[in-house]
Amino acid sequence: MFRTPDRLFRVLAIAEAITWTILISAIIARALGAPGVVVTIGGGIHGFVFLAYAATAVLVAVNQRWRAGVAVLAVASAIVPYATIPMEIWLHRTGRLRGAWRLEESEDSRDRLWYDRLMRWFLRRPWMLGALLAVGIVALYVILLLAGPPGGK
């Protein structure tokens, strides 16, 4: 399913947009009289997918060798409702999502950097990479939950 970086990025960009709809709908529902827990649930789902999208954007950025500004813009697009969709379209149209996962070292000197070697090692072990990302995302999610909601209570 995620044999290429563009497929993984597209799925997470769409998921992030869907969770914006869930969160916005929950806020409207609360304003119309629904219990506040709907925002807690919608916000929790959105927060988790936001972190997964950000992790995916960083992974794809390293694999595709995006400049730092492009990577930051990709992650930041999740802050604006639905902006991950036009971001994915722009990245696709400009060729920044083209290509495969870089599983082998090439003649490019950048392939000898420690983080490129580490990324290739994990990409050749996708279950391990997925587990590591899941643990990292869950850990960060729990830390943020303990810190409290954005803007305080």
Side-chain angles (χ1 to χ4, degrees):
M1 180 176 188
F2 304 122
R3 294 191 186 274
T4 59
D6 66 328
R7 298 302 290 157
L8 178 62
F9 192 86
R10 176 171 286 171
V11 167
L12 268 294
I14 292 168
E16 170 62 12
I18 290 170
T19 64
W20 267 114
T21 302
I22 293 169
L23 179 57
I24 291 167
S25 298
I27 291 169
I28 292 169
R30 182 183 63 191
L32 295 174
V37 72
V38 297
V39 175
T40 302
I41 294 168
I45 294 167
H46 173 69
F48 188 82
V49 174
F50 172 90
L51 294 174
Y53 170 81
T56 298
V58 170
L59 177 66
V60 172
V62 171
N63 186 77
Q64 301 300 96
R65 294 191 174 118
W66 295 345
R67 293 179 184 238
V70 174
V72 169
L73 190 59
V75 172
S77 71
I79 297 169
V80 179
Y82 306 107
T84 56
I85 301 298
M87 172 58 67
E88 188 277 334
I89 291 168
W90 177 74
L91 290 168
H92 182 76
R93 285 185 180 166
T94 58
R96 288 179 170 90
L97 292 173
R98 189 177 307 129
W101 294 110
R102 291 187 298 112
L103 301 175
E104 303 299 328
E105 185 175 336
S106 70
E107 295 299 317
D108 192 317
S109 62
R110 295 173 293 186
D111 273 349
R112 293 179 193 89
L113 299 171
W114 69 269
Y115 57 85
D116 267 313
R117 287 193 306 270
L118 184 62
M119 180 192 67
R120 284 192 307 273
W121 189 87
F122 275 111
L123 285 173
R124 287 190 298 265
R125 295 156 181 84
W127 290 106
M128 190 176 293
L129 175 60
L132 178 68
L133 287 173
V135 167
I137 291 166
V138 168
L140 183 55
Y141 183 77
V142 168
I143 290 167
L144 292 172
L145 280 177
L146 294 174
K153 291 204 175 218

